[in-house]
C-alpha cells in the first residue's frame, strides 16, 4: 500500500452525436445498422402506442485514436470507463445490448508498402486515409443491410462438440475498411504465426469487396487485394495479387441461393 493519493486526472473522451434522423460519428466507428424485425415486415408497438421498427447500431470506438487526450493516459492501467448522456430536449430510452472490449490477432501495418522504384505523390503514413480493422460474423451481421454476411461457398459452421446440444460455433471473417485511399497507395493488416505450409498444394481464400455507398463510383478492378507470406514484411516473402469484383448493394433482395455467388465473387477467390 503506497499510502499516497493523487489528484492527477488523465482520460480520453469520445463523443457520439445522436439525433432522431441519424447518428453522426466517424465513418470507421459505425459498423452496422440492424432494423428489427427483419422478416415478415412485422412491427412493434412502441412506447407512444404507435407501430414501428427498432433500430440497433453497432459501434466500434478505437481506443488508440480518440478526439483528444487529457493528460498522459496509460493504456496499461485503466481503472474506470464512464458513459454519460446530455443535451436531450425530451426524455429518451436507450438500450445497450452489449458493452465489451474487443481484441484480435490481426494488427495494422503502419509502415510504407511501396516497392523499390515506386513513388507516391502524397505521404502514405498517416496521410488522409482512414483504415480500420474489424470482424464480421453470421450472428452479428447475418441480417446486415444492404449487403448481409453469408458463409463462403463450401464453408460450413463448425460444431461445438463440448455441448450436449451440438451447437454451431459463430463463423466470422476479417474486415478491412478503408476510405480516401490514394491512387497507387495501399493498406494492410498482418498476423505473426509459426506455420509450415510446405505440405500444402493450394491456399484458398475468399475475398468480398463492396463500396461505401450506393452512389459510390467504385468499379470492378479499381481495387486489388494482395497477400504476402514470408519470414518478414519487406524483403523475404511470396506475394499474390488479384483484382476485386465489387458486390452490388441491396443484395438482400436476392434469394438465399444467389447471395453466396453475389457476395463471394468467383473472380475474387484465390
Amino acid at each position: 500500500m503506497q499510502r499516497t493519493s493523487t489528484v492527477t486526472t488523465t482520460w480520453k473522451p469520445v463523443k457520439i452525436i445522436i439525433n432522431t434522423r441519424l447518428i453522426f460519428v466517424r465513418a470507421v466507428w459505425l459498423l452496422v445498422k440492424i432494423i428489427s424485425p427483419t422478416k415478415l415486415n412485422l412491427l412493434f408497438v412502441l412506447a407512444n402506442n404507435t407501430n414501428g421498427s427498432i433500430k440497433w447500431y453497432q459501434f466500434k470506438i478505437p481506443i488508440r485514436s480518440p478526439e483528444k487526450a487529457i493528460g498522459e493516459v496509460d493504456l496499461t492501467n485503466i481503472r474506470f470507463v464512464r458513459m454519460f448522456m446530455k443535451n436531450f430536449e425530451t426524455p429518451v430510452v436507450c438500450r445497450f445490448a452489449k458493452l465489451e472490449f474487443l481484441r484480435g490477432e490481426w494488427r495494422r501495418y503502419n509502415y510504407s508498402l511501396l516497392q523499390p522504384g515506386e513513388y507516391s505523390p502524397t505521404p502514405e503514413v498517416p496521410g488522409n486515409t482512414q483504415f480500420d480493422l474489424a470482424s464480421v460474423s453470421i450472428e452479428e451481421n447475418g441480417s446486415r443491410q444492404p449487403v448481409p454476411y453469408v458463409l463462403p461457398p463450401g464453408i460450413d459452421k463448425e460444431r461445438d462438440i463440448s455441448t450436449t446440444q451440438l451447437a454451431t460455433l459463430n463463423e466470422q471473417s476479417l474486415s478491412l475498411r478503408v476510405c480516401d485511399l490514394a491512387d497507387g497507395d495501399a493498406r494492410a493488416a498482418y498476423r505473426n504465426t509459426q506455420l509450415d505450409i510446405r505440405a500444402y498444394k493450394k491456399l484458398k481464400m475468399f475475398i468480398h469487396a463492396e463500396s461505401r455507398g450506393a452512389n459510390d463510383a467504385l468499379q470492378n478492378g479499381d481495387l486489388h487485394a494482395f497477400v504476402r507470406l514470408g519470414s518478414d514484411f519487406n524483403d523475404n516473402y511470396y506475394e499474390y495479387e488479384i483484382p476485386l469484383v465489387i458486390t452490388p448493394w441491396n443484395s438482400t433482395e436476392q434469394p438465399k441461393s444467389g447471395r453466396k455467388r453475389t457476395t463471394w465473387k468467383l473472380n475474387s477467390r484465390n
Side-chain angles (χ1 to χ4, degrees):
M1 187 172 180
Q2 297 179 348
R3 299 183 183 278
T4 60
S5 62
T6 177
V7 295
T8 303
T9 301
T10 60
W11 51 292
K12 292 185 176 183
V14 176
K15 181 188 296 185
I16 299 179
I17 302 176
I18 306 175
N19 56 43
T20 57
R21 292 178 296 177
L22 53 86
I23 294 184
F24 177 77
V25 293
R26 296 180 184 177
V28 296
W29 288 1
L30 180 56
L31 295 184
V32 64
K33 171 185 174 181
I34 300 177
I35 300 178
S36 180
T38 59
K39 298 180 180 179
L40 302 179
N41 295 324
L42 297 177
L43 298 176
F44 289 107
V45 179
L46 304 180
N48 57 1
N49 294 325
T50 61
N51 295 330
S53 58
I54 298 177
K55 299 180 180 65
W56 291 92
Y57 296 89
Q58 182 188 33
F59 291 95
K60 176 186 175 184
I61 300 176
I63 297 177
R64 296 183 180 272
S65 56
E67 296 179 352
K68 60 181 179 179
I70 309 301
E72 297 181 0
V73 181
D74 183 9
L75 294 179
T76 63
N77 185 24
I78 301 297
R79 301 181 59 189
F80 302 100
V81 176
R82 298 183 178 95
M83 181 171 58
F84 58 90
M85 309 177 73
K86 63 179 183 179
N87 297 333
F88 283 92
E89 297 179 355
T90 58
V92 296
V93 177
C94 294
R95 296 180 176 89
F96 300 92
K98 184 187 298 185
L99 297 173
E100 60 182 0
F101 288 99
L102 302 178
R103 65 170 299 273
E105 297 180 350
W106 292 90
R107 299 288 185 267
R108 280 192 203 91
Y109 187 73
N110 294 322
Y111 301 97
S112 175
L113 290 164
L114 291 178
Q115 298 290 339
E118 293 181 343
Y119 169 74
S120 176
T122 58
E124 289 186 292
V125 181
N128 296 323
T129 301
Q130 297 179 354
F131 180 56
D132 186 54
L133 303 182
S135 63
V136 290
S137 64
I138 289 293
E139 295 182 1
E140 295 185 354
N141 309 98
S143 58
R144 175 179 176 268
Q145 295 180 358
V147 182
Y149 178 76
V150 296
L151 288 173
I155 303 298
D156 297 323
K157 298 175 67 175
E158 295 184 10
R159 294 281 183 178
D160 187 1
I161 60 176
S162 62
T163 62
T164 57
Q165 294 84 7
L166 292 179
T168 56
L169 299 176
N170 185 25
E171 196 275 338
Q172 60 184 3
S173 299
L174 174 67
S175 174
L176 309 178
R177 299 171 180 267
V178 60
C179 297
D180 300 325
L181 184 66
D183 186 18
D185 200 355
R187 290 295 184 271
Y190 71 93
R191 175 184 176 186
N192 293 323
T193 62
Q194 294 292 333
L195 183 63
D196 187 353
I197 62 174
R198 292 176 295 177
Y200 298 90
K201 292 183 178 181
K202 292 183 178 181
L203 173 66
K204 181 180 289 188
M205 182 174 64
F206 297 91
I207 303 177
H208 159 79
E210 65 181 68
S211 61
R212 183 172 56 179
N215 298 324
D216 201 328
L218 188 63
Q219 302 295 326
N220 295 338
D222 287 351
L223 287 177
H224 286 229
F226 65 93
V227 178
R228 291 180 179 179
L229 303 175
S231 57
D232 58 56
F233 305 116
N234 299 317
D235 300 319
N236 302 282
Y237 58 85
Y238 291 106
E239 180 174 306
Y240 307 90
E241 180 178 347
I242 59 172
L244 296 180
V245 179
I246 307 303
T247 297
W249 275 41
N250 300 320
S251 59
T252 54
E253 299 177 358
Q254 300 182 8
K256 290 185 178 181
S257 59
R259 291 182 187 177
K260 288 187 177 182
R261 294 191 299 269
T262 303
T263 304
W264 305 104
K265 298 288 188 177
L266 181 61
N267 295 341
S268 297
R269 305 176 197 172
N270 198 356

